[in-house]
Amino acid sequence: MLRLKNMIFLVKKDDGTKIGTCGFHCWNKEKSSAEVGYDLKEAFWGNGYMQEALKEIIAFAAKSMNIKRIDAVIYVENPKSISVVERLGLSFDGKIKNEIFRDSEYLHRIYSIYCTK
């Protein structure tokens, strides 16, 4: 994995093909919290790549960044992404918010996990 600021390029181990990104934004050091964001090229969906990457980045955040809470803000109509974060232990915290993407508003749910070292 290559690091670019707070984002990591996800690459296939066998041939180095870039398949997506994963990383943190909205890192609040005082509250020891961050929001994780990720994107995977559609051709690679359903192969466990994102689950593997998120598992590692969550462990890194807890151990090396002193993060205690990680949020993922997920579009309500993205069941695959919801399934990925739920398998990793993130839970819907009851909050829904509107996010603007390309001049349109979309409802998103916030999923959270509390980290321990």
Side-chain angles (χ1 to χ4, degrees), residues 5-97:
K5 294 189 181 181
N6 290 334
M7 295 302 283
I8 298 170
F9 286 110
L10 303 178
V11 297
K12 286 183 64 184
K13 292 176 185 175
D14 60 351
D15 64 6
T17 301
K18 290 180 184 175
I19 62 173
T21 61
C22 184
F24 293 107
H25 44 116
C26 303
W27 180 14
N28 186 323
K29 291 182 182 182
E30 291 84 32
K31 293 184 179 180
S32 299
S33 65
E35 184 179 303
V36 67
Y38 51 91
D39 188 34
L40 188 66
K41 291 181 181 177
E42 189 172 353
F44 301 100
W45 290 0
N47 294 299
Y49 295 124
M50 192 52 67
Q51 186 167 345
E52 179 183 349
L54 286 173
K55 182 179 177 183
E56 292 300 320
I57 200 168
I58 289 169
F60 176 82
K63 182 178 179 183
S64 301
M65 296 171 65
N66 196 34
I67 298 291
K68 293 184 176 37
R69 176 186 167 131
I70 296 173
D71 294 328
V73 181
I74 302 175
Y75 178 47
V76 296
E77 294 183 28
N78 189 342
K80 289 182 180 185
S81 188
I82 291 168
S83 178
V84 167
V85 298
E86 286 180 339
R87 282 194 303 269
L88 291 168
L90 282 85
S91 302
F92 175 52
D93 73 359
K95 296 179 186 170
I96 298 176
K97 68 178 190 175

